Amino acid sequence: MVAAVLLAAVGCEPDSATRMNSYELYFLGGQSNMDGYGYVDELPDGLHREVDRVSIFTGLAAFDDEPGGGVGLWEPLRPGHGTGFRTDGQANQLSDRFGPELSFGRTLADLKPDSRIAIVKYSLGGSGLAPGVGYGSWDPDYADGEGLNQYDHALATLRNALSNPDIDGDGRTDRLVPSGIIWMQGEADAEHSQGSADAYEANLERMMKLLRTALGVDDLPVVIGKITDSGMADDGSVMDYIETVHRAQAAFADGDECATLVTVTDGLDYLSDAWHYDTEGNLRLGTAFARAAKELESACI
């Protein structure tokens, strides 16, 4: 059933599977620490090259009620898909930043030497799960104006990504098999109010159910990144309600046998802006995401 869902999405017939390249598909979503604030010019020399067997589609980030969200273009994974990345669907404009997608794709390729990896990424800095929180809402029922929000932009990203039957441009049809969701988000809800933090567990569970449904797999593995507080505030806490969100993230992971919580963030360093992980932090986070996704496979796929 999984194959049928995605084969229909890319316009392929199941009986042509023997002529296809097969890719394991991962959706990466969230807010600014999924965007990524690592500096490309701080990467070791070996990490500047394209990653073999890994393709990425980063959807254009857009605010609520802003058109064009989710437009994108497939290309081999390389640095530059962090904050500031732009695309018009005809050409990608790489930024001087990268996010966890870089080491995520590279690590998965190392862990799976016989596999091809496809990454679809959509994130917006400051976006929240609760309605009216931050700079954009993922709540599917929250809408202003034309009714476009972050959930709509994420779905548009998936539709645009899956509309290309040949993501690597080699002239062969590609088969994309949904293999996981990686979610790095929660800071906006933890900063906004006790109410948004209290609602986080239910909102997170709902969003993961919606994304799993969009990808056609009810028990698709989900990897959640634990949010952390830099403490770079006068009172020592940037997010006053973070403990509530911590409990919500842990409860979701504990209650879903196909979900796990990555806690490497507890040991990551921040940039001076107090919100974003540094270059090494982005590399460590992506690696932890990849290893966690691989570990979930035996139980859920």
Side-chain angles (χ1 to χ4, degrees):
M1 179 177 179
V2 173
V5 171
L6 286 182
L7 289 176
V10 298
C12 310
E13 294 298 328
D15 63 4
S16 65
T18 57
R19 299 189 297 275
M20 296 177 182
N21 292 326
S22 183
Y23 279 82
E24 297 178 17
L25 174 66
Y26 295 86
F27 176 76
L28 275 59
Q31 58 179 108
S32 59
N33 278 313
M34 181 58 84
D35 287 348
Y37 279 70
Y39 285 95
V40 172
D41 63 6
E42 293 180 353
L43 285 169
D45 290 341
L47 298 186
H48 284 273
R49 61 176 175 79
E50 293 181 355
V51 183
D52 293 339
R53 296 179 288 107
V54 184
S55 296
I56 185 168
F57 183 106
T58 299
L60 180 67
F63 293 113
D64 290 2
D65 203 31
E66 185 175 85
V71 169
L73 182 71
W74 284 102
E75 69 171 8
L77 178 62
R78 53 179 170 160
H81 285 259
T83 186
F85 171 88
R86 303 291 295 176
T87 180
D88 60 6
Q90 302 299 316
N92 288 341
Q93 181 180 338
L94 298 177
S95 76
D96 63 349
R97 305 291 187 98
F98 72 93
E101 75 286 337
L102 184 61
S103 55
F104 174 78
R106 184 177 294 277
T107 301
L108 270 185
D110 289 342
L111 292 172
K112 302 181 174 189
D114 298 323
S115 297
R116 297 172 185 258
I117 309 298
I119 297 170
V120 176
K121 175 179 171 179
Y122 180 82
S123 53
L124 179 74
S127 55
L129 289 185
V133 168
Y135 299 111
S137 177
W138 286 81
D139 187 324
D141 299 324
Y142 181 76
D144 291 321
E146 297 298 320
L148 295 173
N149 65 14
Q150 298 311 297
Y151 178 62
D152 297 309
H153 295 325
L155 291 184
T157 299
L158 285 167
R159 286 195 300 269
N160 291 332
L162 297 176
S163 69
N164 187 342
D166 180 14
I167 70 171
D168 52 25
D170 67 355
R172 298 179 62 187
T173 296
D174 298 317
R175 175 175 179 260
L176 305 181
V177 181
S179 299
I181 296 167
I182 315 299
W183 186 255
M184 187 67 225
Q185 190 277 333
E187 294 94 338
D189 299 83
E191 189 271 340
H192 184 265
S193 67
Q194 187 63 58
S196 60
D198 288 340
Y200 194 80
E201 183 178 350
N203 288 338
L204 178 63
E205 182 176 357
R206 183 188 189 194
M207 182 52 54
M208 295 305 104
K209 182 178 181 179
L210 288 169
L211 290 174
R212 281 167 161 167
T213 299
L215 288 164
V217 188
D218 291 340
D219 57 353
L220 191 65
V222 171
V223 179
I224 303 293
K226 180 183 178 183
I227 65 170
T228 54
D229 196 309
S230 68
M232 297 178 186
D234 291 341
D235 64 357
S237 178
V238 174
M239 294 166 274
D240 290 342
Y241 314 103
I242 192 171
E243 293 301 326
T244 302
V245 173
H246 279 167
R247 289 192 292 271
Q249 290 183 313
F252 172 77
D254 289 343
D256 189 319
E257 64 179 10
C258 290
T260 191
L261 182 66
V262 163
T263 61
V264 69
T265 47
D266 285 331
L268 303 186
D269 292 328
Y270 286 83
L271 299 175
S272 59
D273 62 21
W275 288 93
H276 303 118
Y277 302 124
D278 64 7
T279 297
E280 181 184 0
N282 276 272
L283 292 173
R284 291 178 60 192
L285 181 57
T287 297
F289 280 154
R291 290 173 176 166
K294 180 68 166 58
E295 289 177 5
L296 279 176
E297 283 186 3
S298 58
C300 302
I301 295 183

